[in-house]
Amino acid sequence: MAEENYFSNSFEYKNGILFCENVALEEVKTWLKNRGIKRVTPAFIYSKSQVETNVLLYKNALRHLERKTTLNYALKANMNPGLVRIMKTLGCSLTLVSGFELELALKLGFTPERIVLNGNGKETWEIELAVNNDCLLNIDSLFNVKQTIGVCRRLHRKARVLLRINPDIDPMVHQYNCTGKNGSKFGVQEKYFDDVIREIKSEPLIQLVGIHCHLGSTITSIAIFRESADVMLQIYRKLKHEGFEHMEYINLGGGLGIDYTKHVAVTTDPKILVKERPIDIPTPADLVKVVDEVFGDENISLILEPGRSLIGNAGILLTSVLGVKHGEPKSYIVVDGSMTEVIRPALYSAYHHIDLAVPSQADDKHKMLYDVVGPVCESGDFLGKDRYMSAPHEGCLMAVFDVGAYCACMGSNYNMRARPAEVLISGDKLELIRRPETLDDILAPYDI
Ligand code: LLP
């Protein structure tokens, strides 16, 4: 698909009814019921076309560069194999953070040599798995080099490693999403470079092939990426100068934000708290351009490893209204989705747009402010606060937007809630890419 075919409307309203590609979301309920599924909402719905568009926005920007480039999908953003397969078909590799993620990648047939295994705390078996498969391994600390040396000697195998740098740059995001500043547990700080480098140099089985950094997630300023490219280039040159002849890669991590306010209608109504779309988020093309400018003629292979910007806007949570509860000072729309599916509002005070997915049939639909909350027994269980919307009828379908990244995969069974169905839509085709959990699934590891 060409960049100009950018499908910005994978989720679009027609006459008040929300569609994903060519499918009205209310039809998904019937489709799931016809497959014998009793609990049809909440459900994650993904648009295949949106995933493809997101990948191609990166790919189209990267293919113009006169350097080797790799686009690694950060699988932690959403590990559903039904989605990861699409990434593979489109030519992505993967950045992983655990041994099970690596096992999944191998099962799905990704080329191990192009996979990056990252992590500030790797277990020995995870390092062994990566070394045995000749993956790229990120080194995160002095102890991590020693661990890796131990594994290489035992297995009599070489490890190709990237050194993860903590460049001490503020990504200007929620503190839990900040990973490349002093005070973060990730990467090696400048002060400790020499110790780590000395250790790497001491072992011929460790081959330093590049450096890595990841500043954080939800970044909305291109200047921040320019700064990190700049700092990384200086470190790259220094290491090359020190005789690391196999140095080839700079991996700049992921972190590009998405526009969570895209679906917010701009309004002058004083009651609406989010009045305008506040940010102009850089595109993948902006990011690639700035990095390439900084690297200039230097012969560097570039790795980018986005998660959110590849999958975030490709998913919604479809949820049904259980009831509307009026109160002082707050009124609530209680839905069957909750923090067990979408924890980002509770964890990071993140904004996810919420709207009715079908027109309201309530007797009194007048608009007012509601908190949209789930059934979980926690006051932190909310999906959105102070949302100005029409009163929905009981059973009304609602959509929580932009939940493709860091939602299903951060879900839990808290309150013994079952993880919901996940459906992939492509044109007018539906595919169940995860069935909802049953009570037996939840109880399986226990002795009852
Ligand atoms: N590379 C590394 C080393 C990472 O740690 C991450 C994300 C990525 C790439 C992908 O970053 P992205 O492009 O998705 O921003 N749960 C949080 C996000 C945690 C991100 C963890 N690392 C959230 O829901 O906002």
Side-chain angles (χ1 to χ4, degrees), residues 313-419:
N313 64 355
I316 61 145
L317 184 78
L318 197 61
T319 179
S320 300
V321 173
L322 298 172
V324 174
K325 178 167 163 177
H326 290 286
E328 288 295 332
K330 293 238 167 205
S331 290
Y332 301 94
I333 298 174
V334 185
V335 295
D336 60 6
S338 74
M339 69 190 299
T340 58
E341 292 76 42
V342 180
I343 200 172
R344 302 192 69 257
L347 201 52
Y348 318 110
S349 305
Y351 180 89
H352 283 269
H353 191 62
I354 304 174
D355 209 343
L356 309 193
V358 290
S360 170
Q361 293 159 17
D363 297 335
D364 176 7
K365 325 184 191 355
H366 87 269
K367 286 193 172 187
M368 57 177 282
L369 284 179
Y370 293 102
D371 279 10
V372 182
V373 300
V376 167
C377 197
E378 287 278 336
S379 290
D381 177 32
F382 63 92
L383 296 169
K385 288 201 164 170
D386 297 319
R387 303 302 171 88
Y388 187 68
M389 54 173 72
S390 294
H393 57 275
E394 210 178 291
C396 181
L397 281 180
M398 295 184 75
V400 185
F401 287 85
D402 303 310
V403 299
Y406 305 112
C407 290
C409 59
M410 291 177 75
S412 77
N413 291 125
Y414 186 40
N415 285 193
M416 275 184 80
R417 285 171 58 83
R419 285 185 172 80

Side-chain angles (χ1 to χ4, degrees), residues 173 214 216-220 225 252-257 305-309:
V173 297
H214 172 74
S217 205
T218 70
I219 299 171
T220 55
F225 287 108
L252 281 181
L256 187 63
E305 46 186 33
R308 185 186 319 270
S309 49

